[in-house]
Amino acid sequence: MALSIDRHNSLSRLARDLWRQAQAESRRIGEMVEAVMATGISWTELGTLLDGVDDAPPPAGLVARVPSGAPSAAEKGVREDGEAALTVAKGITLQVIEPERQGWLRGYDAAQRYRERMGDLEVPYGHLEGTYPLGRWLSDQRRTLRAGQMPSERADRLEALGIVWDTADAAFAENLAAARAYFAEAGTLAAPRHATALDKPVGQWLTNIRRPGGLGKDPERAERRAAQLAAVDPDWNPAVLGWTVDWQRHYVGLAALLDDGALLTGIVPGVTYRGDDIGRWLTRQRRDFTRLNEEQQIRLATCGVQPAVRARKAPESGGAGRGGEAFTRGLAALAQYIEREQRTVIPRQHTERITINGDEHEVRLGVWVSNQKSRRNKLNGEQLALLAELGMDWA
């Protein structure tokens, strides 16, 4: 009787141990299956792999714990469940987990070789490192990370190599560095389109990112990038302030000349700063002072600029209507066109829309300029001077 009780207790303990081990292996299998599925394998493929698992025996330690003698049906069932769990775990490890790990290490080794040779991991998508598709592999790693399925140990190893998780952010960072270099030299990010810095076309890049959606479609990313640009130059995007990039650049040039000791009275047409004719621009600001917005007027007044006071002259006989509204509209349209387009050649068919005192006007600017040129002998001195200030060499 005592022997029967001891045997029953022993079998009960074995059954509990086997059940606990089977449960632990079941959880481990679940974790491994999740890891396997993260590689993109389908359930059908996984099932095919498991069907090929050999009926390997369970660990010797586990078998040795089974008491001698013929096992009961219950004992045999418990043992078979435990052995099945161990066999499945072994099969997944050998046929799925281990090959995937070795495949990842191949990609990592290729990335390491590229990094040692090139100094970075900016790998084109189609690049082959030897015969290994490294560019595609790195793209897969970025996708895995975005999906939240990359183990932290792998992410750390790739980051130690210098992987760029977001190539768009990397390109922005490079151009931002060029923008900082340009600002350090020019004192503004109101760069002309042809401007370069650090061998980057920073002027064109700034033009592009000022456009709607130029900072990216992701609102959070766009806000973060705008903040980075504002940290370099708070006025990096003059359009939101109500004026052009060209106006901002000339204003910065005026302030720089004054800071260098120039007198306002000495900044006349022909006085330049970094290639821009600040004197000619200043003359236009004085003349059109009332057309500027309040902030522009405040900034110019801070520099000591006041609106020009012009004496009225009687129109000369046979003149081109100097006192008339047509000449005033044409001149304003010409100034607006030149400031926007940065050129003085106007197509003959071009029409410019302008707003004067709240009223919109359409000026056939190409025809108007052609007419003023052909009638220049009939223009008075003030008219010619105003046209010359805008760059009309024939005046």
Side-chain angles (χ1 to χ4, degrees):
M1 183 67 177
L3 181 60
S4 177
I5 293 175
D6 289 342
R7 180 174 178 78
H8 173 77
N9 291 340
S10 177
L11 287 173
S12 296
R13 286 194 297 272
L14 174 63
R16 284 196 301 271
D17 289 345
L18 284 172
W19 180 247
R20 281 195 294 268
Q21 188 165 358
Q23 286 182 313
E25 290 300 328
S26 178
R27 286 193 296 270
R28 182 166 174 266
I29 290 170
E31 293 171 355
M32 288 190 292
V33 168
E34 288 180 1
V36 172
M37 297 307 295
T39 67
I41 192 173
S42 68
W43 285 105
T44 302
E45 293 170 320
L46 179 60
T48 301
L49 289 170
L50 294 180
D51 286 341
V53 174
D54 294 333
D55 292 328
L62 178 61
V63 177
R65 294 174 58 191
V66 180
S68 59
S72 66
E75 175 190 342
K76 182 181 293 186
V78 171
R79 185 172 67 182
E80 288 176 353
D81 287 344
E83 292 174 357
L86 293 173
T87 300
V88 170
K90 179 181 177 181
I92 290 178
T93 299
L94 293 179
Q95 298 200 36
V96 180
I97 302 298
E98 186 62 22
E100 190 276 335
R101 189 178 73 86
Q102 293 299 325
W104 190 89
L105 288 175
R106 281 189 64 204
Y108 178 80
D109 289 342
Q112 199 168 30
R113 291 195 302 273
Y114 184 95
R115 174 71 173 79
E116 291 173 353
R117 185 177 70 256
M118 304 298 295
D120 57 48
L121 270 187
E122 297 177 15
V123 183
Y125 180 80
H127 175 75
L128 296 177
E129 186 65 15
T131 59
Y132 189 82
L134 178 59
R136 187 173 62 189
W137 182 81
L138 287 171
S139 179
D140 291 342
Q141 303 312 300
R142 295 184 182 101
R143 184 166 54 250
T144 301
L145 183 80
R146 287 195 300 271
Q149 297 173 339
M150 176 171 286
S152 59
E153 182 268 340
R154 290 185 178 182
D156 291 343
R157 293 182 70 178
L158 288 172
E159 286 174 1
L161 280 185
I163 189 172
V164 177
W165 293 117
D166 192 319
T167 54
D169 276 345
F172 181 85
E174 290 180 5
N175 285 304
L176 182 63
R180 289 194 185 98
Y182 180 86
F183 181 86
E185 184 178 334
T188 180
L189 288 186
R193 290 189 182 184
H194 63 268
T196 61
L198 302 182
D199 295 325
K200 296 284 185 182
V202 67
Q204 186 61 58
W205 178 71
L206 286 165
T207 298
N208 293 342
I209 63 174
R210 290 188 186 105
R211 293 170 179 159
L215 291 175
K217 297 179 180 180
D218 183 345
E220 291 184 3
R221 172 186 285 175
E223 185 177 351
R224 182 176 69 253
R225 291 177 172 178
Q228 290 175 303
L229 287 160
V232 178
D233 181 1
D235 297 334
W236 73 274
N237 190 11
V240 301
L241 303 171
W243 56 81
T244 66
V245 170
D246 182 74
W247 193 94
Q248 177 68 20
R249 186 173 64 255
H250 282 78
Y251 166 74
V252 171
L254 172 64
L257 290 173
L258 294 174
D259 288 344
D260 287 343
L263 298 177
L264 201 57
T265 54
I267 303 178
V268 297
V271 175
T272 64
Y273 181 79
R274 295 181 60 83
D276 290 317
D277 193 328
I278 306 302
R280 178 179 292 178
W281 175 84
L282 180 58
T283 299
R284 291 201 303 269
Q285 305 317 300
R286 286 176 170 143
R287 184 194 66 215
D288 301 331
F289 197 87
T290 57
R291 297 179 186 173
L292 303 175
N293 68 34
E294 183 178 359
E295 179 61 23
Q296 286 174 300
Q297 292 179 1
I298 291 173
R299 294 193 180 199
L300 288 174
T302 302
C303 293
V305 179
Q306 298 297 324
V309 178
R310 290 180 293 186
R312 292 183 176 272
K313 296 182 180 179
E316 297 178 4
S317 176
R322 174 209 165 279
E325 294 181 357
F327 186 85
T328 301
R329 288 197 298 269
L331 194 68
L334 179 61
Q336 177 177 285
Y337 178 90
I338 292 174
E339 184 167 2
R340 183 184 68 249
E341 301 295 332
Q342 292 296 293
R343 59 183 181 140
T344 58
V345 178
I346 300 98
R348 184 173 178 79
Q349 301 303 318
H350 178 72
T351 298
E352 187 78 7
R353 185 185 296 272
I354 61 171
T355 301
I356 300 177
N357 297 326
D359 297 324
E360 284 194 357
H361 304 274
E362 286 191 352
V363 178
R364 297 175 60 194
L365 185 58
V367 173
W368 183 84
V369 170
S370 179
N371 290 341
Q372 303 311 305
K373 183 178 181 179
S374 63
R375 300 170 186 169
R376 59 185 176 275
N377 292 334
K378 296 182 180 181
L379 299 176
N380 62 40
E382 184 179 359
Q383 288 176 317
L384 290 170
L386 291 172
L387 289 166
E389 288 175 5
L390 291 177
M392 299 293 105
D393 294 337
W394 50 263

